[in-house]
Amino acid sequence: MLASITEGAFVENLKLRFSKNKIYTYIGEVVISVNPYCDMGLYTDAILREHVGKALYQREPHIYALAEAAYTTMRRTEADCCVMISGESGAGKTEASKHVMRYVAAVSTAKQKGEIEHIKNMLLASNPVLEAFGNAKTNRNDNSSRFGKYMEINFDFKFEPAGGNIHNYLLEKARVVKQQAGERNFHIFYQLLAGASDQLLDKLKLTRDPRAFTYLSQGGDAVVPGMNDKANFAEVQKAAHELGLDNGLMDTLYTIVAAVIHIGQVKFA
């Protein structure tokens, strides 16, 4: 327990726990996490099983404990439950959502597991596509989400998973036409130039050099150290296939992306 309830005391407590490799901390029923940017072995099957059937405060603070509380409450009250994940760019929001879904998949009954695993895989397969069209390099994070995302798992009256949805909102549309120094446009523009075949680029009347296009060069150097736009474009294509998006639809999307790039080349006297 903290001797004083102040922001400074909270931060000092987070720092103390982090120094002991404890990245999760409770403040009431809120789970605060500090991203360690490395695998600390906190998500093994054994640790997951330790949280099954346990109340929130029976174990050390953990994202699995929060997932257990939400899942159990939904079954007990027969009402919708929501886990809100928020934080700064790079805080680990996407990873947290993956662990929540993994937990729900693990604690489902044998009949449920196949469906929840399928739903989870579909939701996670959407990440490369969503990140390509909604993430960008900023001065604080090389892979910053520039939109909000609401992921939903639907259950039937037997609490068996019946489907899932992803709702996106608040996309930073202004980034398409203007970027600050040191930042980039959305990833998909650079991925298309780096990863598309020569035939597709010829068809779209594009070249591989982002510096040739106004909308892709305002922030300066388009190359991000440690980021492989060509490989990420291949990942987008693979994810699109897993989601059931056919080649015709993807070609249409790439045509729209190319049209946006060309609009940036229009000059007004």
Side-chain angles (χ1 to χ4, degrees):
M1 300 294 290
L2 296 178
S4 61
I5 309 301
T6 64
E7 182 178 345
F10 284 138
V11 173
E12 188 61 30
N13 188 44
L14 292 175
K15 181 179 178 181
L16 176 62
R17 290 181 59 82
F18 187 78
S19 69
K20 298 179 179 180
N21 293 328
K22 296 181 178 182
I23 67 171
Y24 292 110
T25 302
Y26 288 144
I27 299 180
E29 294 186 351
V30 176
V31 180
I32 305 294
S33 66
V34 181
N35 194 342
Y37 293 97
C38 66
D39 185 358
M40 301 183 69
L42 297 176
Y43 311 105
T44 64
D45 291 339
I47 292 177
L48 187 151
R49 288 192 296 270
E50 290 177 358
H51 290 85
V52 177
K54 299 293 193 303
L56 193 66
Y57 298 107
Q58 285 185 273
R59 306 288 308 173
E60 275 281 321
H62 201 289
I63 189 69
Y64 287 160
L66 186 67
E68 167 67 21
Y71 185 66
T72 301
T73 300
M74 179 197 70
R75 293 176 62 90
R76 185 182 71 252
T77 64
E78 299 185 0
D80 295 339
C81 285
C82 178
V83 177
M84 178 176 290
I85 303 173
S86 64
E88 291 188 340
S89 180
K93 298 182 292 295
T94 299
E95 287 302 311
S97 67
K98 292 178 183 178
H99 291 309
V100 170
M101 286 188 287
R102 177 173 180 263
Y103 186 86
V104 174
V107 299
S108 300
T109 64
K111 181 179 179 181
Q112 292 174 306
K113 278 183 179 174
E115 183 63 21
I116 192 72
E117 194 69 24
H118 171 70
I119 294 170
K120 183 192 75 171
N121 290 338
M122 290 291 286
L123 291 174
L124 295 183
S126 69
N127 278 335
V129 178
L130 291 174
E131 289 186 1
F133 285 88
N135 286 25
K137 177 191 180 300
T138 67
N139 288 318
R140 300 185 63 185
N141 183 1
D142 289 346
N143 188 34
S144 176
S145 297
R146 313 312 299 167
F147 66 102
K149 179 168 61 176
Y150 179 75
M151 305 178 73
E152 184 176 65
I153 300 177
N154 306 123
F155 296 83
D156 63 16
F157 70 98
K158 296 180 181 179
F159 303 106
E160 295 180 356
N165 298 288
I166 297 179
H167 304 278
N168 303 307
Y169 52 93
L170 298 178
L171 180 65
E172 186 189 27
K173 299 176 182 178
R175 180 170 294 271
V176 173
V177 298
K178 184 67 176 179
Q179 307 91 48
Q180 299 180 30
E183 299 194 353
R184 295 205 315 178
N185 211 321
F186 293 107
H187 293 326
I188 187 61
F189 294 108
Y190 308 93
Q191 292 173 358
L192 179 63
L193 299 189
S197 66
D198 292 335
Q199 292 82 356
L200 179 57
L201 289 183
D202 287 342
K203 176 184 176 183
L204 300 176
K205 302 186 185 306
L206 296 173
T207 64
R208 296 200 182 275
D209 187 3
R211 294 172 298 181
F213 303 103
T214 301
Y215 281 173
L216 309 187
S217 59
Q218 295 172 348
D221 190 359
V223 177
V224 179
M227 181 176 290
N228 189 327
D229 288 320
K230 182 177 181 179
N232 289 340
F233 183 75
E235 187 69 19
V236 169
Q237 291 184 302
K238 177 182 176 183
H241 176 73
E242 293 175 356
L243 291 170
L245 306 180
D246 59 38
N247 293 334
L249 177 57
M250 293 309 296
D251 284 345
T252 299
L253 289 176
Y254 297 147
T255 301
I256 294 173
V257 171
V260 172
I261 295 175
H262 287 305
I263 289 174
Q265 301 303 98
V266 175
K267 305 294 183 184
F268 295 94

